[in-house]
Amino acid sequence: MSDDQPTTDVYDLRVVVERIEGRSVCGMKPGDHVELTESCRLRIPEGQHFCLYALAACLPLLPAKQRALDDGDWMARDSHVACPDPEERLIMRIERTGRRQIPTEELT
């Protein structure tokens, strides 16, 4: 990467099942997670799964969490997402796990 090529700082993220306040319909348990790295790559640890509906609840927030945020921005303070299944009441936490500089032209 040349020094004059513009780059964008992007955070890698982990979405972690923090707790389940109801009954676990999807079979996930606290500690299960999915990782978003390199701007657009989803990874689920081998031998695990992540509920599509729980992931869908997080997806709209992930692009914002990948970017630098002002301290006063509510997205900088709020990291919890609830699964849409009211019986399950599965609560997930979005964590930043690292920061990368990616050539801006390579971002999706």
Side-chain angles (χ1 to χ4, degrees):
M1 167 171 43
S2 83
D3 291 335
D4 60 346
Q5 184 177 20
T7 62
T8 302
D9 286 349
V10 178
Y11 287 93
D12 289 343
L13 304 174
R14 178 179 294 138
V15 178
V16 181
V17 175
E18 185 171 287
R19 64 188 184 274
I20 301 172
E21 298 173 344
R23 60 185 183 96
S24 180
V25 178
C26 65
M28 291 199 307
K29 61 189 179 314
D32 286 350
H33 66 276
V34 60
E35 294 180 343
L36 174 59
T37 63
E38 301 167 66
S39 170
C40 64
R41 296 176 186 230
L42 282 177
R43 295 188 179 130
I44 300 171
E46 187 174 336
Q48 292 186 20
H49 72 280
F50 205 89
C51 174
L52 177 66
Y53 302 106
L55 181 60
C58 298
L59 287 177
L61 305 175
L62 298 181
K65 290 299 230 180
Q66 287 182 302
R67 307 301 173 139
L69 299 166
D70 292 332
D71 290 338
D73 191 320
W74 71 271
M75 283 293 281
R77 297 184 317 269
D78 196 352
S79 297
H80 289 90
V81 181
C83 176
D85 185 339
E87 294 282 322
E88 196 159 34
R89 295 188 309 280
L90 183 140
I91 307 298
M92 299 163 283
R93 182 181 64 252
I94 301 171
E95 305 172 341
R96 289 178 167 172
T97 59
R99 188 175 74 192
R100 300 172 185 265
Q101 285 193 329
I102 297 177
T104 303
E105 69 181 23
E106 293 179 15
L107 290 172
T108 58

